[in-house]
Amino acid sequence: PESYFVPPFDQPDLWEGHASLVDELKIDLKGVKPSVIVCCVGGGGLLNGIILGLRRNGWEDVPVVAVETDGAQSLAKSVEAGKLVTLPGITSIAKSL
């Protein structure tokens, strides 16, 4: 059988799936906007999806706090460099969560 690699973060279809979390949140909160959303960041797929969902639901003004593991901060390093950065390695003792 053929196989397909599903990338963990760099894929708009995955962002769309993650965006549905915000759709569900809006229903659960009965349309009341949250004051903030805190999001764990690894590769950025969940973060991209949350941003997409916020935009889709008209909640662009809701702040998002992205939290990244020290020693695995690929997003922070990419933002700092102004381009996508691949870390040479993960130095955190947290290898997976």
Side-chain angles (χ1 to χ4, degrees):
E2 292 186 38
S3 61
Y4 179 75
F5 175 69
V6 179
F9 55 87
D10 193 15
Q11 220 302 328
D13 288 340
L14 294 176
W15 308 339
E16 187 64 41
H18 296 319
S20 69
L21 294 168
V22 180
D23 301 337
E24 293 176 22
L25 183 63
K26 188 171 187 176
I27 292 167
D28 289 347
L29 295 177
K30 297 178 179 25
V32 176
K33 285 193 273 188
S35 56
V36 65
I37 292 179
V38 178
C39 172
C40 296
V41 176
L46 179 59
L47 176 62
N48 279 328
I50 287 173
I51 298 299
L52 179 65
L54 290 172
R55 289 177 180 165
R56 180 165 67 207
N57 284 282
W59 287 359
E60 298 92 345
D61 58 333
V62 174
V64 178
V65 177
V67 181
E68 211 169 18
T69 302
D70 189 35
Q73 63 273 33
S74 58
L75 176 63
K77 295 293 184 183
S78 294
V79 169
E80 185 180 294
K83 63 179 183 175
L84 183 62
V85 170
T86 300
L87 298 176
I90 303 297
T91 59
S92 168
I93 60 170
K95 301 298 182 194
S96 66
L97 300 174

